[in-house]
Amino acid sequence: MACLASALLLESAAVHAQANYRSAPTGGRSALMGGTGIALARDGAAPFLNPATIVRIDDSGVAFSVNFYTIQTTRLTGFHQPGPVDASRYGALSLPDTSLDNSRLDALPSTLCLFLTIGNWGDNAPIEAEAHPHRKGHRKLAACLGSLERQAFGATAESYSGDSAGLHASQAQSIERSWNRIYVGPSYSVYASDDVAIGVSLHGIGTTMTSNWNVDTVVHDAATSASASSYGTSASAYSIDLGAVLGVMWHIDHYQTLGLSLSTPTVHMLGQYHGTASIQTLGAGSSAILATSSGNFEAPPPMRIGVGLGMEKGRMRVEGDVSAYVPVTALSQADLGIDQTTVGPGKTTVQSGVTTLGVTGRPIVDAAFGLEWFTSPGFSLLGGVSTDLSAMDPLPTKPSIGTLAETRMQRVATSLGIGSYGDGSELLLGTELSYAWGKSIAWDPFAQQPQLALVDQRTFTAMLVVAGGMSLSAFRRTLKDLGGVVRLPGK
């Protein structure tokens, strides 16, 4: 217990952060084309992927953009017995069916954007649809709200029981964890020439994290020998940061478009972290540890460099993107003060201290490819593939007591959908299927020293995408048509 107490108070731990920067889709077309859009975005993804592309949106309008609904199944292999057993206490304990299977239905946050044409500067004519349009001076303004990162897992009131080597083990667990990052702010884009557009987005970035673990375990034999342990942690944190995205779009020729974007390092404004942790054992040498912590919390998104090449020819629209994420600071950091009480046989110890919790990262590169094929001017088929790698450093084989770095996953996804287009409006329906693999932590009460251990995690997700948009001019025409049909009595 002295070792556990020391680790709980003094060890640097990793703050809960998956570092999967494509974990929440944005615009509907972008999501159904494999998450592409650095070169050819024309929906709610544009201000976040490459603000220069918002000038591609034809008319002032609102992209009511996306509603996402997911069905997710997760398996944590060996979760209820994750590591080697202390043979001196539990003999040859080998419990059956120790994996944890979990399913959940979830609605993801939507992207909402308002796009406004703010006119031209100079003597240039408005943008036209000829083979060589006079684009110079065409400008666009947007205001957007979007959730670009989201991870959630819940396994409430999970029970387990098993028999092995003359012992009966019972366990009750409740786990809830989430990570969410929201961007909000304006975007501006202008054609500096007929072939080149530049743009910028300014974002307030809000990151929130919550985590709750409770694990209670009882092991007994047929006589009177028994032991029990309890492990619980909880944490809640938020970080507010300011950042910008710079973008360039270049029409190489009439068919090909190159997009470049850069998200700058962020400026931290404020943040807060609160956490608790407790470990209790019952039996010979019963003991308990209780620790509370609070302090500042920072979770800056890494710098992102994106390159996209798109082609629009005939009935086909194709795009391939590559995005490099380069952490310039820790992915997350909390500077905390900790108060801890340790109760053992005949002795109580009270300690206070300070520590820094942190998540370190490494550069990664994600790729995406998307295709849209128009079977007619008003109907299209969409599809794509993408990767979503984690920028977090690998989890240690034996995580420290009190760690909140709970999972590290790699993900691949494929998407398929349809698009319907009318006079100034569009509707898209489709699905994204993804498979993720990696490591997650589990509490191991059967080790010689109770500790955290790593188990394999596999997750399959099916996401339904419902997206669309309508230009304000089309909305005004609809109201005018309705006004021509509806007449008040006596009129």
Side-chain angles (χ1 to χ4, degrees):
M1 290 303 296
C3 293
L4 294 179
S6 177
L8 192 62
L9 179 65
L10 300 177
E11 285 287 344
S12 292
V15 175
H16 171 78
Q18 283 72 36
N20 290 95
Y21 301 113
R22 302 168 65 89
S23 56
T26 49
R29 176 177 284 98
S30 174
L32 294 178
M33 291 181 64
T36 58
I38 296 176
L40 302 179
R42 45 179 292 197
D43 59 11
F48 307 108
L49 296 178
N50 183 356
T53 61
I54 68 174
V55 292
R56 292 174 48 85
I57 298 171
D58 297 332
D59 195 8
S60 299
V62 59
F64 58 84
S65 202
V66 195
N67 292 287
F68 301 108
Y69 305 92
T70 65
I71 299 175
Q72 177 177 287
T73 62
T74 297
R75 164 160 281 207
L76 299 170
T77 304
F79 188 79
H80 296 287
Q81 186 182 334
V85 172
D86 180 8
S88 64
R89 297 179 64 189
Y90 304 109
L93 183 71
S94 180
L95 298 172
D97 302 323
T98 56
S99 293
L100 171 63
D101 294 300
N102 176 263
S103 299
R104 62 182 292 148
L105 177 65
D106 200 5
L108 303 187
S110 300
T111 303
L112 179 65
C113 289
L114 177 66
F115 300 96
L116 298 174
T117 299
I118 55 177
N120 301 301
W121 49 270
D123 298 323
N124 300 288
I127 191 169
E128 300 171 1
E130 294 93 344
H132 301 286
H134 300 290
R135 301 186 183 98
K136 184 178 179 180
H138 186 71
R139 295 182 290 173
K140 210 79 170 184
L141 186 67
C144 286
L145 168 69
S147 178
L148 271 64
E149 292 177 48
R150 188 173 189 271
Q151 293 283 336
F153 177 81
T156 304
E158 291 283 344
S159 60
Y160 172 82
S161 63
D163 296 280
S164 175
L167 297 176
H168 179 78
S170 299
Q171 194 172 78
Q173 298 205 32
S174 289
I175 307 167
E176 290 288 342
R177 64 195 188 206
S178 68
W179 174 273
N180 194 33
R181 180 168 278 156
I182 296 176
Y183 290 64
V184 59
S187 301
Y188 173 81
S189 179
V190 60
Y191 270 107
S193 70
D194 287 346
D195 295 323
V196 176
I198 58 176
V200 60
S201 294
L202 302 177
H203 291 135
I205 306 169
T207 304
T208 59
M209 179 273 289
T210 60
S211 175
N212 290 283
W213 277 72
N214 286 287
V215 185
D216 298 295
T217 307
V218 176
V219 180
H220 63 87
D221 59 18
T224 59
S225 177
S227 64
S229 66
S230 176
Y231 169 77
T233 64
S234 63
S236 176
Y238 71 88
S239 176
I240 306 297
D241 302 88
L242 297 178
V245 182
L246 310 177
V248 177
M249 181 180 61
W250 173 34
H251 295 277
I252 301 173
D253 54 32
H254 186 53
Y255 304 111
Q256 299 180 87
T257 302
L258 178 68
L260 303 173
S261 68
L262 170 68
S263 64
T264 65
T266 59
V267 177
H268 180 65
M269 303 301 293
L270 70 156
Q272 191 70 42
Y273 178 101
H274 294 283
T276 63
S278 66
I279 302 173
Q280 299 183 50
T281 61
L282 299 176
S286 299
S287 302
I289 304 172
L290 176 64
T292 61
S293 60
S294 62
N296 182 61
F297 179 70
E298 299 182 28
M303 184 174 68
R304 176 181 62 84
I305 304 170
V307 179
L309 179 63
M311 183 183 71
E312 298 173 285
K313 187 174 183 179
R315 296 185 174 186
M316 183 179 295
R317 178 182 292 123
V318 181
E319 181 173 351
D321 291 352
V322 176
S323 298
Y325 297 87
V326 184
V328 295
T329 62
L331 300 180
S332 304
Q333 182 169 306
D335 300 310
L336 305 176
I338 300 179
D339 296 313
Q340 179 175 299
T341 302
T342 305
V343 178
K347 184 179 181 181
T348 299
T349 303
V350 179
Q351 297 173 276
S352 296
V354 295
T355 190
T356 297
L357 316 181
V359 170
T360 56
R362 57 179 61 183
I364 59 164
V365 176
D366 279 325
F369 175 81
L371 168 70
E372 184 172 17
W373 173 263
F374 285 84
T375 60
S376 69
F379 187 82
S380 70
L381 301 175
L382 304 96
V385 293
S386 63
T387 64
D388 183 19
L389 307 180
S390 176
M392 182 191 297
D393 282 337
L395 301 179
T397 304
K398 295 182 178 180
S400 301
I401 298 295
T403 183
L404 295 175
E406 298 174 349
T407 183
R408 181 179 185 268
M409 305 293 292
Q410 319 292 346
R411 189 173 70 99
V412 293
T414 184
S415 57
L416 182 66
I418 59 174
S420 176
Y421 305 90
D423 184 15
S425 63
E426 61 184 50
L427 176 65
L428 298 103
L429 299 172
T431 184
E432 180 191 83
L433 304 177
S434 66
Y435 175 72
W437 68 97
K439 297 290 186 178
S440 186
I441 65 169
W443 177 246
D444 184 4
F446 306 115
Q448 184 175 16
Q449 175 181 303
Q451 61 186 352
L452 292 175
L454 296 185
V455 296
D456 291 332
Q457 178 173 331
R458 301 289 185 267
T459 299
F460 174 78
T461 303
M463 179 177 67
L464 173 66
V465 180
V466 182
M470 176 179 287
S471 69
L472 294 183
S473 59
F475 184 66
R476 287 192 294 266
R477 287 195 299 272
T478 301
L479 291 180
K480 184 177 180 179
D481 293 342
L482 288 175
V485 174
V486 180
R487 292 289 187 270
L488 295 176
K491 297 293 184 178

